[in-house]
Amino acid sequence: MNIKNVFNCGWLRKNAPDSCIVISSRIRLARNINKIPFPHWADEKNLKKAALLIQNAAKKCSYLVNSECYDLNKTTPLDKQYLIEKHLISPEQAISINGYLIAGDKEMISIMINEEDHLRIQSMDAGLNLFEAWDIINKLDSDLSDKLNYAISPQWGYLTACPTNVGTGMRASVMMHLPALILTGQINKVLKGVSQLGLAIRGLYGEGTKALGNLYQISNQVTLGQAEEETIDYIKKITNQIIGYEKDAQEVLTKESNEQLEDKIFRAYALLTHARIISSSEAMDFLSTVRLGVSINLLKNVSLEVLNELLIVIQPAHIQKIYKSTLTPEQRDIKRAELIREKLLIT
Amino acid sequence: MNIKNVFNCGWLRKNAPDSCIVISSRIRLARNINKIPFPHWADEKNLKKAALLIQNAAKKCSYLVNSECYDLNKTTPLDKQYLIEKHLISPEQAISINGYLIAGDKEMISIMINEEDHLRIQSMDAGLNLFEAWDIINKLDSDLSDKLNYAISPQWGYLTACPTNVGTGMRASVMMHLPALILTGQINKVLKGVSQLGLAIRGLYGEGTKALGNLYQISNQVTLGQAEEETIDYIKKITNQIIGYEKDAQEVLTKESNEQLEDKIFRAYALLTHARIISSSEAMDFLSTVRLGVSINLLKNVSLEVLNELLIVIQPAHIQKIYKSTLTPEQRDIKRAELIREKLLIT
């Protein structure tokens, strides 16, 4: 496989709703084909059969007209890492047998084949756009269900490999940037509150309160006994509440004429635009701080879209795809610094 | 007393010889008036008498035409600290009884009255300019000797309070910036070598190898049995050798295509031009690194003169004089950052 388009995220578009705080919205549906064992129990023959059925069905879907299908068995480790960084495949999918990825035009919709379930259909959009993402994925799902015989029970709904997904098979999530809640020490209260409301909240690439780049993902836990629109509406409401808390915290920070905060923000911006060597975690940290600076209107000439793009492209596999070579961690730190300067100083 | 001109260092001029490495040259002469006890043994009457004689003599010297005389008993602690930071008075002089300072036009020549000796005449210049400084101070000294009855012995030469100054009474010194010798780990060898050659070498504001801003002062120790020109010539030769070592070390650093060094230099520049809060020692550290960047031609649009000026004006009393108010350390750190941004971004 040769993944050519290094950066083709259609969902990172401009002026998305609440994009100051909500980076992206994502919905995925877990689906399985009737009378074929779930991937973890299926033999190779069945996995191939499922993959073929799904690929053929996908070809006939209008939403997947310009899609590409990647055979993950023939994908290099670097390319797999690259797809993980883009959230197009999961780390589990990267090591699956007979796994495939169908990536729609601009990567806004995609299907993982033979991950935990036969199909994991995904729709992504920028900002707080859960209903728009739902609208697209719902139509694609209907389209696919005409062509595939889904495993469905009149009593339980969609049947899935893991019982936590049975019912709607839907996981809706938003990725939020919450730097002011962290700086004002309120994040734990918010995390606790969200959990008590029955939603899951976790840091990017990790459980618990330590979030890389102050990024948190909020998603539903319930998939049973609740219509999809109901779940999405609930997440949207809670997300709006958290947006309110983050905005309040940002206002508190700006009202205090906080030289410490200004210093932190300008130093982060200075280092991003001048460093010659920068690690992934240092860069994430500075990008998060600069993003806060843009949100509170302290940094005027930095675009949120560029910062959002950087949060993705500074990752190790992206750096190597962009510079078209396998790089050591030390070489990546140099190229990462180069890429960040280039992207930030153009805007 | 009211010290008005905040920055009036005539000796920080442009294009001085070897100014990339030698920041300044300084010569001071210790002189005493015959038949008046040395200041530490003199009573108030004698101290006043000495001061008056010197002030009257100074008024008639052509080199001191536009000079100002400051009574240190009437000088505020802030102004005294300010004069110490400018190297116009010593910390000992600041607490002396009946001490005065005569500061010549642009502070290139000055006289401390009633420090350890009745007169400590000083001449400063930019870069490696010891003979130029000597020429001026020698003429001023001749002029003063016509008007004052110096304590002098045909056998020993000029008599001074401390025996280490007897003879010429001269201390000649250069202030050198040696960042590459530190980075390449060669500084201790150089320090040792200089000591073995009979010269004193010490860090700015401190003994030993730990030098604030990588600044080192080299001076003669011998004042007896050697003509002034001979001493100066010797210091100049050793200084030229050290310049050679530092240049070699800088060349080694640049030849290695040293990303670590580039990163260090650009980060220092970034933080100086963006920080909103900066301590004196952090600023000294970054200024030293940026100065190295200019020396090795990595930073093109930064002027050495501005960096040299900043090394002086970022000091606590200077910051308060510039912003015309008594400031807490926290307030100074904010104003220091403001001043540095202003000076560096103009150039």
Side-chain angles (χ1 to χ4, degrees), chain B residues 16-72:
Chain B
D18 294 303
S19 61
C20 251
I21 295 168
V22 184
I23 296 193
S24 60
S25 297
R26 188 151 56 126
I27 296 183
R28 69 120 176 92
L29 299 173
R31 299 288 185 258
N32 288 280
I33 297 166
N34 202 18
K35 299 200 171 148
I36 298 182
F38 294 132
H40 288 190
W41 289 270
D43 59 15
E44 204 180 326
K45 196 180 136 201
N46 271 315
L47 288 169
K48 282 200 167 143
K49 187 177 162 192
L52 200 64
L53 283 169
I54 296 164
Q55 286 167 37
N56 285 335
K59 275 178 199 157
K60 292 173 201 149
C61 289
S62 58
Y63 276 95
L64 294 170
V65 166
N66 289 317
S67 66
E68 297 240 19
C69 184
Y70 302 107
D71 180 347
L72 297 175

Side-chain angles (χ1 to χ4, degrees), chain B residues 21-25 87 173-177 204 215-217:
Chain B
I21 295 168
V22 184
I23 296 193
S24 60
S25 297
H87 296 286
S173 64
V174 286
M175 180 72 77
M176 304 189 80
H177 184 229
L204 183 65
L215 295 172
Y216 290 88
Q217 187 179 281

Side-chain angles (χ1 to χ4, degrees), chain A residues 116-310:
Chain A
E116 194 180 277
D117 298 292
H118 293 142
L119 297 98
R120 285 277 175 112
I121 313 168
Q122 178 175 273
S123 166
M124 277 189 92
D125 206 348
L128 182 50
N129 257 330
L130 284 169
F131 276 108
E132 290 71 7
W134 167 245
D135 192 46
I136 291 168
I137 204 167
N138 192 28
K139 283 176 184 158
L140 172 59
D141 184 45
S142 297
D143 216 355
L144 283 167
S145 73
D146 291 343
K147 295 155 184 85
L148 292 168
N149 190 11
Y150 280 162
I152 189 162
S153 134
Q155 191 186 354
W156 300 107
Y158 294 101
L159 299 178
T160 57
C162 179
T164 56
N165 291 314
V166 168
T168 60
M170 183 189 78
R171 189 80 64 216
S173 65
V174 288
M175 179 72 77
M176 304 189 80
H177 185 229
L178 305 175
L181 285 173
I182 289 172
L183 280 174
T184 55
Q186 296 173 77
I187 192 71
N188 283 329
K189 209 169 63 187
V190 172
L191 295 182
K192 206 176 156 191
V194 171
S195 298
Q196 284 170 343
L197 291 165
L199 297 182
I201 184 162
R202 60 189 185 93
L204 183 63
Y205 307 115
E207 303 283 329
T209 57
K210 284 230 172 181
L212 200 59
N214 302 331
L215 295 172
Y216 289 89
Q217 187 182 282
I218 291 162
S219 62
N220 62 302
Q221 291 186 306
V222 174
T223 53
L224 204 58
Q226 200 175 50
E228 289 89 343
E229 287 87 348
E230 228 178 304
T231 305
I232 293 170
D233 192 52
Y234 188 61
I235 295 176
K236 193 176 167 181
K237 272 185 189 144
I238 308 285
T239 303
N240 273 319
Q241 274 183 27
I242 302 172
I243 291 172
Y245 298 148
E246 172 67 20
K247 280 188 178 165
D248 288 350
Q250 290 187 4
E251 216 176 293
V252 168
L253 287 176
T254 46
K255 264 190 187 157
E256 279 171 354
S257 101
N258 198 325
E259 276 102 359
Q260 246 94 20
L261 178 67
E262 275 191 37
D263 187 55
K264 190 179 158 79
I265 289 169
F266 279 104
R267 281 179 182 237
Y269 177 74
L271 292 173
L272 284 176
T273 50
H274 289 79
R276 260 55 184 170
I277 302 176
I278 197 162
S279 71
S280 183
S281 67
E282 199 187 14
M284 283 293 274
D285 191 22
F286 293 157
L287 284 171
S288 167
T289 305
V290 166
R291 217 179 172 282
L292 174 62
V294 174
S295 292
I296 64 174
N297 236 342
L298 195 64
L299 292 172
K300 313 275 183 198
N301 297 318
V302 183
S303 110
L304 268 190
E305 287 70 35
V306 168
L307 294 175
N308 290 351
E309 186 184 334
L310 281 171

